[in-house]
Amino acid sequence: MRPDRIAAIVGVAESDLGVTPGKTALQLQAQAAKAALADAGLEKNDVDALFTAGNWAWSPNLMLAEYLGIQPRYADGTNIGGSSFEAHLGHALAGIEAGRFEVALITYGSTQRSDQSRNRPANHATLVEQFERPYGLPAPVGAYALAAMRHMYQYGTTSEQLAEIAVATRKWAMMNEKAMMRTPITIEDVLSSRWIAEPLHLLDCCLVTDGGGAVVVASARRVGSTRKKPVWVLGHGEMLTHYGITNMPDLTVTGAVQSGQAAFAMAGVRHEDIDVVEIYDSFTITVLLTLEALGFCQPGEGGAFASDQRTAPGGAFPMNTNGGGLSYCHPGMYGIFLLIEATRQLRGECGPRQVPDAKIALAHGTGGVLSSSATIILGRDA
Amino acid sequence: MAEHIPVPVPDGDSRVFWEGVAQGKLLIQRCDACQQFIFYPRFLCPHCFSDSLAWVEAQGTGTIYSYTVVHRAFGPFADQAPYVVAIVELAEGVRMMTRITGSEQDAVRIGAPVRVVFVEADEGVTLPYFQLN
């Protein structure tokens, strides 16, 4: 493992999740930020860098900083979709390593479920979107359906194999009291749920919820004064491959190939060293493609890898232990929740769903329509 | 009032393409420097960064690279479901998003040969769709 300890996650929290009528994206982020700073044992005025992403303001960083009463000397509003927060953490690591700030606050908040904002197609299609939007591909599910169809064609992947992921994830959610969907489901339930966009069924798709989260990152120098044991950022990698799904070079290969290689190399760990994995699960196919791209299995073998409930509680490959975007929450951009759960697992705070003695975790975000990939590897002191 | 589909807004990159569509031609670009075909149209070649690009008429044939049957659609598309959206790889090698139209929807397969047809998708909006050969 990499000997130097540069930056660590020292505080994590969610806001209210699920359906939060009357709440705003700012309220949810303030609620999560307050709780995450309390978790860290730090004060608002300790924060000197702010990272956020969203589409609720022309400059989310400016509006949120003002709202929280923070005047950060460093800000990063990188928006590459749901993986933005894994990117933010990597950028915070770089900024801390460069000595530009000591304590970074990363937040996300969305009221998309209460807003019903995902269902309104725009009246006009401009710039490069004019070559996709007029054809009526529902965003983003249609793009993931195109990838799933291609993977099935190329490798014989089955709907049953995709359903294995949804079923295993639900089992984890049943052990998380914050999860929205906690009734057990079977593979047959997934296969008999209605088509959304073939070959994806309703239960292949993530939830649509409200919610927010916050992560506090501190320099090694500041870690001594925080409340809980640090969760070190050991590795980071990111990769942007395309914007529209038509221009994805290969619908079966994501940028997680490159982001994963970079993160593993930086952390100096191997696949077999990873104890728990949190993988962006906007759709079941997202997970399958990511497992292959990260190198946990060979290209085309993701379906076999996920079979026999391998990723479920008690399985050989504990994955998405909070219940994931499929069953816990998914407020549009899910990436921050991967970091929150990975941190809690490494702290041993997960109660019935705790992966025993978890020391190293991998969190992988996917944004857009398989457009961006960002991988984080976290580790605790022995 | 019926909802309209998102209308393509011709701009400095796309105007020639949409003018071609209006005349029943599928126009794509080719790079004068590296000779590669390019779609969607743009100011410079994404392969070699040359800004010397020419318009050429595509053969209008290709194969289905991937597709989905959309069952849950929103807004102006809601009443059209189920329908087939596909990525077609043209004979020239570039890919474009499209609809697969025609009566043989059950025969749609990855790899199936298709050819372009120009369809008035909404009032005054003609789009290049494809149908099975």
Side-chain angles (χ1 to χ4, degrees):
Chain A
M1 197 184 298
R2 198 177 189 213
D4 43 343
R5 298 284 197 257
I6 295 161
I9 295 178
V10 294
V12 295
E14 301 117 319
S15 70
D16 293 347
L17 302 174
V19 188
T20 62
K23 289 259 179 16
T24 72
L26 290 168
Q27 281 181 307
L28 295 175
Q29 288 179 93
Q31 186 188 22
K34 182 176 173 62
L37 283 165
D39 187 50
L42 292 171
E43 312 259 324
K44 182 253 285 190
N45 290 336
D46 292 319
V47 174
D48 53 2
L50 183 65
F51 294 68
T52 188
N55 54 14
W56 37 268
W58 70 263
S59 172
N61 288 82
L62 284 175
M63 190 187 283
L64 182 68
E66 179 190 275
Y67 186 90
L68 295 175
I70 291 173
Q71 294 186 321
R73 58 192 165 105
Y74 201 100
D76 182 338
T78 296
N79 187 343
I80 53 172
S83 60
S84 296
F85 312 93
E86 283 67 45
H88 290 171
L89 182 55
H91 301 178
L93 171 67
I96 287 172
E97 186 164 24
R100 304 299 294 271
F101 53 87
E102 301 275 354
V103 176
L105 173 66
I106 306 172
T107 71
Y108 177 67
S110 165
T111 53
Q112 63 154 22
R113 184 184 177 101
S114 297
D115 298 344
Q116 295 286 307
S117 60
R118 286 168 88 89
N119 297 355
R120 289 188 216 121
N123 295 327
H124 292 86
T126 61
L127 300 177
V128 303
E129 293 182 349
Q130 67 189 280
F131 300 102
E132 290 196 351
R133 286 190 184 272
Y135 300 100
L137 188 74
V141 61
Y144 287 82
L146 289 167
M149 194 72 89
R150 183 73 197 182
H151 200 275
M152 289 176 165
Y153 167 80
Q154 234 170 276
Y155 297 114
T157 304
T158 65
S159 291
E160 287 80 0
Q161 289 171 329
L162 291 177
E164 289 264 5
I165 294 167
V167 171
T169 308
R170 181 62 60 89
K171 290 176 184 169
W172 288 108
M174 289 163 64
M175 296 192 286
N176 181 2
E177 62 186 17
K178 291 178 181 167
M180 190 177 215
M181 305 298 280
R182 302 185 64 200
T183 52
I185 55 172
T186 64
I187 287 172
E188 187 48 42
D189 289 335
V190 180
L191 300 182
S192 61
S193 64
R194 62 192 165 87
W195 289 121
I196 301 297
E198 293 180 42
L200 299 181
H201 301 83
L202 176 67
L203 292 179
D204 286 299
C205 304
C206 65
L207 308 172
V208 176
T209 73
D210 301 329
V215 170
V216 181
V217 189
S219 65
R221 197 171 71 79
R222 292 298 296 272
V223 155
S225 62
T226 56
R227 197 167 72 87
K228 290 185 177 170
K229 288 184 176 168
V231 170
W232 298 100
V233 187
L234 303 179
H236 161 250
E238 64 190 68
M239 186 71 190
L240 283 61
T241 49
H242 58 280
Y243 179 76
I245 194 66
T246 312
N247 302 299
M248 183 168 177
D250 179 336
L251 280 182
T252 67
V253 181
T254 80
V257 171
Q258 292 90 345
S259 71
Q261 283 172 358
F264 274 106
M266 183 174 174
V269 302
R270 297 164 303 174
H271 289 76
E272 53 267 38
D273 298 325
I274 306 288
D275 299 306
V276 57
V277 172
E278 310 296 341
I279 289 181
Y280 204 103
D281 59 343
S282 44
F283 303 94
T284 50
I285 185 65
T286 320
V287 176
L288 192 145
L289 294 177
T290 304
L291 287 169
E292 293 179 6
L294 288 175
F296 285 107
C297 59
Q298 293 298 306
E301 292 180 356
F305 185 87
S307 292
D308 301 324
Q309 292 298 288
R310 187 196 198 112
T311 68
F317 194 83
M319 181 185 83
N320 296 353
T321 51
N322 54 3
L326 291 169
S327 289
Y328 148 72
C329 80
H330 196 294
M333 292 159 75
Y334 174 72
I336 202 158
F337 302 98
L338 302 166
L339 300 174
I340 292 169
E341 177 67 7
T343 299
R344 288 179 175 155
Q345 285 287 347
L346 296 183
R347 287 174 171 177
E349 295 178 341
C350 289
R353 68 178 194 277
Q354 178 65 44
V355 174
D357 200 32
K359 291 190 183 68
I360 300 181
L362 181 147
H364 179 88
T366 302
V369 286
L370 297 161
S371 314
S372 68
S373 297
T375 312
I376 290 288
I377 296 176
L378 301 170
R380 64 167 163 87
D381 291 319
Chain B
M1 195 179 76
E3 288 184 82
H4 293 288
I5 68 168
V7 180
V9 179
D11 57 29
D13 283 326
S14 68
R15 183 164 291 109
V16 172
F17 174 80
W18 292 117
E19 286 170 357
V21 167
Q23 297 166 30
K25 292 178 183 174
L26 192 64
L27 301 180
I28 61 176
Q29 290 172 309
R30 183 163 57 187
C31 175
D32 289 331
C34 73
Q35 301 299 314
Q36 298 209 59
F37 290 100
I38 299 162
F39 188 82
Y40 49 81
R42 54 195 99 182
F43 178 75
L44 45 70
C45 172
H47 307 290
C48 75
F49 238 46
S50 165
D51 59 4
S52 179
L53 309 180
W55 287 95
V56 294
E57 185 173 355
Q59 294 174 44
T61 60
T63 55
I64 295 175
Y65 174 68
S66 195
Y67 72 97
T68 178
V69 184
V70 176
H71 290 262
R72 187 164 189 243
F74 294 100
F77 301 110
D79 294 340
Q80 301 176 10
Y83 54 86
V84 180
V85 179
I87 298 174
V88 162
E89 190 163 294
L90 297 186
E92 289 79 10
V94 297
R95 293 181 192 153
M96 59 177 63
M97 187 170 284
T98 189
R99 286 276 187 98
I100 305 298
T101 183
S103 54
E104 297 163 311
Q105 301 282 299
D106 291 346
V108 171
R109 295 286 179 274
I110 289 177
V114 290
R115 62 189 157 78
V116 70
V117 288
F118 296 94
V119 172
E120 187 170 12
D122 202 344
E123 246 170 81
V125 183
T126 298
L127 297 174
Y129 284 2
F130 284 73
Q131 62 184 30
L132 297 176
N133 275 357

